[in-house]
Amino acid sequence: MDPEAMRRCMSFGFSDKKNKSAIGQYGNGFKTSTMRLGADVIVFSRHLHERALTQSIGLLSYTFLSLTGLDRIVVPMVDYEFNTTTGNLEISHRCGKEHFMSNLSMILQWSPYSTEVELLKQFDDIGSHGTKVIIYNLWLNDDGIVELDFDTDPEDIRICGDIKKVDTIPAWRMVNEQHIANRLHYSLRVYLSILYLRIPDTFQIILRGRLVEHHNLADDLKFQEFILYRPQCGGCVEGQVITTIGFLKEAPHVCVHGFNVYHKNRLILPFWPVVSYADSRGRGVVGVLEANFIEPTHNKQDFERTSLFQKLEGRLKEMTWEYWDYHCGLIGYQVKKKPPAPQPKQDSPLVMANGKTKPVKFSPSSPVVASAKALPATGLCTKRKHSDDLVELESVKRHGQSRANAIVSGQNLEAQVHPINTATQSKYQEATNLMQENKKLRAQCLEFEKRKEELNKKATQLRNELEEVEREYSQLMAEVKSLDLIKEENDVNM
């Protein structure tokens, strides 16, 4: 951040995130989140743009504000600029030297660093462009113990004493307690692994020296189905969302159910239990969706309780019951409802909507469609609002084929997905060959992706090494210039 961006970051209530992809809104996230973890935070940021380099330091200290009795929030900041002529780091002239020295004095008094040299040394591992945030004086719990646990796992940060005990039979206790739905509540590494629905190739999260591996929750599901929901408000369609729904691979041994709701790629509600199951109805049913048509609350831990949110909650409830009633037999429970006999054969999956017939199509870039390609699921039908809409894929099951159902569902929209009926055994053989070929291609693709990741890591390492060399070169050049000046002074004196 340059000095102006640093001031905006450290100020309360400022936000310039107005584009559709940004999740921030109120301008208080950085301040409230850091203050939740500890009483004080100091920020170091270096900015390089068009050969102009600046360094900024800002302090947000609850300790300072409370002990000095100030009736307003004071955030001391200092800025430095790199003088390309002299090769030295100099005080910025934005606020004047007197103001700079006053802020520097406050930072040195209330931060962990007692000298200006120690402060500037914190920039050594930032590189030519980056930011470091240090939170200190961490909060203690009621027992006087630090809330965060750094000792149990050297590669993780945990919430102290927050491991949830699961009430189940002893044989299933371990699989429940170790499930990601339980561990995400106390493990930062687990939470970060599912925090984003998609991770760009240029983005990495490093926690305590080790890369956080991205985890797609849809990959944990078996017998997947994909349901398209178009929410409406005042007769207008507000958007659309494709929900991946299925049983957890550990079902029925896990006492977990609910939907993982993302907003603009960020996880807001993990394993949201929209139903309270009795007699195990709904047990193990989990869904994944990205709902950009509803707005999250300021802390990004819930959604605003709007009419669209309530409609989504009702639809997800229906999905859970529908899926369970027709699929629970796959995990050992008694099926309560059975689909009717197969309909006449058709050449492709079709959607019947408003009296018109058209093929079902999803965007290839959709994460849930990509997940479907990675894990083909047994094609099974789901309840519709009219009993005539129920169909069965017995013909597909008899030939041992697995396919994912595409179901269109929404406000005032009734849809029916008809199964693929085969005309000849040869078509199934051809399909089997294609699936095997697809499996081989996917294995090659995974190998290429792994190689790409290794090359990206190597490129990052080389860039870091290059920056280190450039930094050493700049320091050496500064020393050379200093020696030249000393030499000139000596020549003059002689």
Side-chain angles (χ1 to χ4, degrees):
M1 295 177 284
D2 61 17
E4 185 57 34
M6 184 76 158
R7 276 163 177 74
R8 294 198 297 264
C9 171
M10 304 293 285
S11 301
F12 283 83
F14 180 89
S15 176
D16 58 359
K17 297 179 180 179
K18 304 300 181 185
N19 61 70
K20 293 183 178 180
S21 62
I23 194 171
Q25 182 177 357
Y26 302 103
N28 293 327
F30 167 75
K31 279 74 68 173
T32 56
S33 60
T34 52
M35 290 293 98
R36 172 62 187 86
L37 297 174
D40 310 297
V41 57
I42 186 169
V43 181
F44 303 86
S45 192
R46 176 179 284 159
H47 179 79
L48 178 62
H49 180 65
E50 295 181 352
R51 300 178 64 85
L53 186 145
T54 61
Q55 293 183 176
S56 301
I57 305 172
L59 176 70
L60 181 60
S61 172
Y62 174 80
T63 305
F64 161 60
L65 297 175
S66 60
L67 293 182
T68 54
L70 293 173
D71 57 356
R72 59 190 179 90
I73 297 176
V74 176
V75 182
M77 292 183 57
V78 293
D79 302 313
Y80 297 87
E81 296 176 353
F82 186 77
N83 189 324
T84 55
T85 303
T86 63
N88 297 324
L89 198 65
E90 300 178 350
I91 297 173
S92 174
H93 301 291
R94 294 169 57 90
C95 301
K97 186 173 182 179
E98 183 178 349
H99 183 76
F100 175 92
M101 296 306 296
S102 174
N103 283 350
L104 178 61
S105 176
M106 284 187 284
I107 291 175
L108 294 177
Q109 181 179 356
W110 298 100
S111 76
Y113 312 103
S114 57
T115 66
E116 186 179 13
V117 174
E118 290 182 21
L119 274 178
L120 295 177
K121 190 171 180 60
Q122 298 306 310
F123 288 95
D124 289 351
D125 58 353
I126 290 181
S128 61
H129 196 89
T131 300
K132 178 194 290 187
V133 179
I134 298 177
I135 304 170
Y136 56 102
N137 290 331
L138 302 180
W139 297 117
L140 308 179
N141 59 22
D142 295 337
D143 298 325
I145 302 174
V146 177
E147 289 182 330
L148 300 179
D149 175 12
F150 297 89
D151 300 325
T152 301
D153 187 343
E155 296 182 342
D156 196 6
I157 300 176
R158 297 187 174 190
I159 297 178
C160 186
D162 202 37
I163 299 178
K164 182 181 178 182
K165 299 297 181 181
V166 180
D167 185 17
T168 184
I169 63 175
W172 295 356
R173 183 169 291 116
M174 180 63 72
V175 68
N176 277 271
E177 292 181 352
Q178 293 301 316
H179 195 271
I180 193 170
N182 185 41
R183 291 190 295 136
L184 71 88
H185 294 292
Y186 63 84
S187 169
L188 180 60
R189 179 171 293 277
V190 172
Y191 178 71
L192 290 175
S193 71
I194 62 173
L195 181 59
Y196 298 105
L197 188 60
R198 299 169 296 274
I199 293 289
D201 293 336
T202 56
F203 181 79
Q204 287 184 330
I205 302 176
I206 308 294
L207 177 60
R208 305 192 74 177
R210 189 165 75 88
L211 178 70
V212 175
E213 297 182 5
H214 177 249
H215 184 83
N216 186 355
L217 289 168
D219 292 339
D220 294 341
L221 307 181
K222 57 185 177 182
F223 311 121
Q224 296 179 0
E225 288 193 358
F226 308 92
I227 303 176
L228 176 63
Y229 170 57
R230 292 193 179 100
Q232 293 188 6
C233 186
C236 299
V237 177
E238 296 292 332
Q240 67 178 28
V241 55
I242 299 175
T243 300
T244 306
I245 189 171
F247 283 117
L248 288 171
K249 292 178 180 178
E250 299 88 351
H253 299 154
V254 288
C255 308
V256 175
H257 69 290
F259 289 84
N260 297 276
V261 187
Y262 289 80
H263 176 80
K264 295 181 180 178
N265 199 41
R266 155 77 184 268
L267 180 63
I268 305 297
L269 286 177
F271 296 95
W272 176 31
V274 295
V275 300
S276 298
Y277 60 78
D279 299 329
S280 297
R281 189 184 182 206
R283 181 191 184 102
V285 178
V286 169
V288 182
L289 65 150
E290 184 177 19
N292 295 333
F293 56 87
I294 51 180
E295 291 298 325
T297 55
H298 72 280
N299 62 3
K300 312 299 184 294
Q301 301 297 307
D302 204 347
F303 287 100
E304 299 288 351
R305 302 294 165 165
T306 62
S307 59
L308 281 174
F309 177 82
Q310 293 170 355
K311 289 179 180 179
L312 174 65
E313 183 177 15
R315 184 65 192 103
L316 295 180
K317 237 178 238 189
E318 292 177 0
M319 288 184 196
T320 304
W321 296 142
E322 290 171 356
Y323 186 88
W324 172 267
D325 288 344
Y326 288 99
H327 300 70
C328 61
L330 296 171
I331 60 171
Y333 288 90
Q334 182 177 359
V335 179
K336 296 183 179 181
K337 296 182 180 180
K338 296 182 179 180
Q343 299 291 329
K345 66 180 181 180
Q346 294 193 16
D347 294 332
S348 62
L350 300 177
V351 173
M352 301 295 295
N354 299 327
K356 296 181 180 181
T357 305
K358 58 182 181 180
V360 178
K361 294 183 179 179
F362 293 124
S363 170
S365 62
S366 171
V368 291
V369 175
S371 176
K373 292 177 181 177
L375 292 172
T378 302
L380 294 170
C381 301
T382 306
K383 187 184 80 173
R384 304 262 67 57
K385 295 182 181 178
H386 298 299
S387 59
D388 293 339
D389 290 334
L390 301 176
V391 293
E392 185 180 29
L393 298 185
E394 291 297 332
S395 58
V396 178
K397 290 167 62 180
R398 280 196 300 269
H399 291 85
Q401 299 301 312
S402 294
R403 294 187 178 273
N405 244 358
I407 301 173
V408 178
S409 173
Q411 194 82 6
N412 301 323
L413 178 64
E414 299 300 332
Q416 177 182 1
V417 181
H418 294 279
I420 300 174
N421 291 317
T422 57
T424 62
Q425 181 67 28
S426 61
K427 289 185 178 181
Y428 280 102
Q429 184 60 42
E430 182 181 355
T432 301
N433 294 337
L434 287 173
M435 291 173 66
Q436 292 176 349
E437 183 65 23
N438 180 55
K439 186 176 180 181
K440 294 179 182 178
L441 292 174
R442 283 193 60 79
Q444 293 178 3
C445 182
L446 291 173
E447 184 65 27
F448 289 141
E449 289 178 353
K450 182 178 179 182
R451 179 59 178 163
K452 179 182 177 182
E453 182 180 351
E454 293 175 352
L455 291 174
N456 285 336
K457 290 181 180 179
K458 184 64 175 178
T460 302
Q461 181 182 351
L462 291 174
R463 280 195 294 269
N464 293 336
E465 292 177 358
L466 179 61
E467 291 174 359
E468 181 66 26
V469 171
E470 289 176 347
R471 185 162 55 251
E472 292 179 0
Y473 174 75
S474 299
Q475 293 175 351
L476 290 173
M477 289 299 298
E479 292 177 4
V480 169
K481 290 181 180 180
S482 299
L483 291 173
D484 289 341
L485 290 174
I486 295 172
K487 183 178 180 181
E488 290 176 2
E489 292 177 356
N490 292 335
D491 292 340
V492 171
N493 295 330
M494 292 176 64

